[in-house]
Amino acid sequence: MKLYNKTDKRVLKEALMNEGFERTTLSFYKYYNLPNPQFFRDHLYILLNSVDVFGRIYIASEGVNGQISVPTHKMDEFQQRMDEIIFFQGMRLNIAIEDDGKSFVKLIIKLRNKIVADGLNDETFDVTKKGTHINAREFNELTQNPKAVIVDMRNHYESEVGHFEGAITPDVATFRDSLPIIEDMLEDKKDTPLIMYCTGGIRCEKASAYYKHKGFKDVYQLDGGIIEYARQVKEQGLENKFIGKNFVFDDRLGERISNDIIAKCHQCGAPCDEHTNCNNSACHILFIQCPECAKKYDQCCSQKCCDFIKLPEEERAMKRGIEEFNGSKFSKGRYKAHHQEDELDVQ
């Protein structure tokens, strides 16, 4: 039994476009003590591969974190396969808000030290003493409290394109970075309601327990994150307090929650919230680019990258790893055009 898919990505993309049926994109996570992550990884691969699931799943001794796409006509069969795993039974599946079914091209399941890199020593606090889970209606009600603090547990490139009204959005590149920074920011607010949210809820599961351990007395977490909030708002006709887009970690890079565009093109400054990766594979930095700049720079983040991709393959291969691009200088979303004004002729 093949437990890895090593087919060329271009071939897989072509096959995906020609499938002839719809796919449903969803995400899930489960904290659970896995005594043998490698065995479970192989078992899960066989299980999901049997129903043509694509996606990216991380497995660690603390549990599972996955973002996948499932053939829509096989959803019942997929659910049956998942229910064969006892600790998956009853687990929430967060269905994507905007979905063209093209989010993944193959199934990748990897082992990790943790299902989300948090930098915490779990032995120093009780990770099961989490914050109070709240639904969309309760979230809206709690955020009416003027003393309540709303905290976005995501990274800056995620909150840049969308966030809840009045939320604190830390300028961080990783979840690991956000935990101590938020703790310092709220040092004098340990007696006020702390309301946290993230994409699907997984980061808040650990963060809420950590902040309770640190002395925050009234801790809440949005159950199911932004994805579940948007679903409940639509189904129940609630007021939507999320403005902009929800960043997602697949080929879509975002799902629109409201029509507000709160971000700007990183190259020209025009209103835009479309993330993309630089077309120069030697750079590949994540940034925001409007259609006009995408055309002007051939979907690259700079004139340097634009010129590089036009070189003969032999010359690119020779310079790859030697030339410095934005991807080697800035972390995700840190690039802005003013870093290279002389190069881009930005006025």
Side-chain angles (χ1 to χ4, degrees):
M1 169 64 71
K2 183 176 68 172
L3 300 181
Y4 298 89
N5 189 328
K6 296 183 179 180
T7 307
D8 185 272
K9 190 173 183 179
R10 289 171 294 184
V11 175
L12 293 170
K13 279 190 173 182
E14 184 177 353
L16 177 65
M17 298 304 294
N18 295 322
E19 275 189 334
F21 54 81
E22 294 182 351
R23 284 180 170 270
T24 298
T25 300
L26 55 90
S27 60
F28 62 90
Y29 69 88
K30 187 73 174 183
Y31 279 101
Y32 187 82
N33 181 28
L34 291 171
N36 190 334
Q38 179 66 61
F39 177 83
F40 181 78
R41 181 261 169 217
D42 294 344
H43 173 66
L44 186 62
Y45 190 98
I46 294 169
L47 210 64
L48 298 184
N49 193 53
S50 69
V51 284
D52 301 318
V53 169
F54 294 163
R56 184 189 308 111
I57 300 173
Y58 296 137
I59 293 176
S61 58
E62 66 175 2
V64 183
N65 177 20
Q67 299 86 40
I68 60 175
S69 77
V70 183
T72 305
H73 65 282
K74 292 187 177 183
M75 281 295 289
D76 288 343
E77 188 178 355
F78 161 74
Q79 187 66 70
Q80 290 172 9
R81 293 286 186 274
M82 293 291 275
D83 286 344
E84 290 177 19
I85 300 171
I86 294 176
F87 70 90
F88 275 0
Q89 293 175 4
M91 178 177 65
R92 185 212 317 282
L93 301 175
N94 284 324
I95 306 296
I97 302 159
E98 288 186 332
D99 185 17
D100 61 4
K102 312 301 181 185
S103 48
F104 300 100
V105 299
K106 66 179 178 179
L107 179 61
I108 300 173
I109 305 183
K110 294 184 176 182
L111 295 181
R112 289 285 188 265
N113 290 327
K114 291 194 173 188
I115 55 177
V116 175
D118 52 38
L120 298 175
N121 180 358
D122 294 353
E123 296 180 0
T124 62
F125 67 103
D126 188 345
V127 297
T128 66
K129 292 184 177 179
K130 299 171 289 190
T132 302
H133 286 229
I134 54 174
N135 59 31
R137 186 181 298 277
E138 292 166 332
F139 179 90
N140 284 358
E141 292 172 353
L142 280 170
T143 55
Q144 293 300 311
N145 183 346
K147 293 184 178 180
V149 178
I150 311 166
V151 181
D152 193 322
M153 296 306 301
R154 303 172 303 152
N155 305 324
H156 71 92
Y157 56 88
E158 298 172 81
S159 60
E160 182 177 12
V161 295
H163 53 76
F164 280 104
E165 298 172 359
I168 294 173
T169 56
D171 185 16
V172 295
T174 68
F175 177 51
R176 180 198 303 262
D177 294 336
S178 70
L179 292 168
I181 289 175
I182 292 170
E183 183 183 353
D184 289 342
M185 291 173 65
L186 304 180
E187 179 61 35
D188 61 342
K189 298 184 182 300
K190 291 187 175 180
D191 293 326
T192 59
L194 174 60
I195 307 169
M196 296 183 296
Y197 69 90
C198 56
T199 306
I202 186 171
R203 282 175 271 193
C204 293
E205 289 288 319
K206 187 68 70 71
S208 64
Y210 174 76
Y211 288 128
K212 288 186 72 173
H213 167 69
K214 287 293 186 174
F216 289 86
K217 297 179 174 57
D218 204 8
V219 181
Y220 301 89
Q221 61 187 89
L222 182 58
D223 193 20
I226 300 164
I227 297 174
E228 178 64 12
Y229 175 88
R231 187 189 68 79
Q232 291 179 15
V233 162
K234 184 176 181 180
E235 287 187 355
Q236 300 173 31
L238 304 175
E239 178 187 359
N240 176 29
K241 291 180 173 290
F242 189 93
I243 51 176
K245 248 183 177 181
N246 177 35
F247 184 93
V248 292
F249 294 88
D250 57 51
D251 287 350
R252 295 171 299 148
L253 294 178
E255 328 178 282
R256 186 156 300 286
I257 309 298
S258 82
N259 292 325
D260 305 276
I261 297 177
I262 65 173
K264 296 179 180 180
C265 173
H266 286 178
Q267 291 176 309
C268 72
C272 178
D273 57 8
E274 295 293 327
H275 274 103
T276 189
N277 287 104
C278 181
N279 198 27
N280 173 13
S281 60
C283 173
H284 202 60
I285 194 169
L286 179 74
F287 71 113
I288 297 174
Q289 185 179 54
C290 70
E292 289 76 14
C293 286
K295 183 177 179 180
K296 181 178 180 180
Y297 298 108
D298 202 5
Q299 297 179 304
C300 290
C301 70
S302 66
Q303 189 63 51
K304 183 175 183 178
C305 285
C306 185
D307 293 340
F308 183 81
I309 65 172
K310 295 173 184 176
L311 295 174
E313 175 58 35
E314 297 78 11
E315 190 172 350
R316 276 184 282 149
M318 183 179 65
K319 291 185 175 183
R320 193 184 302 270
I322 300 175
E323 292 283 346
E324 186 178 57
F325 301 103
N326 285 321
S328 54
K329 292 190 290 185
F330 306 108
S331 63
K332 286 182 178 179
R334 292 293 184 192
Y335 162 76
K336 299 289 187 297
H338 66 262
H339 289 300
Q340 298 185 358
E341 290 181 356
D342 57 331
E343 186 174 279
L344 295 176
D345 296 325
V346 175
Q347 301 298 318

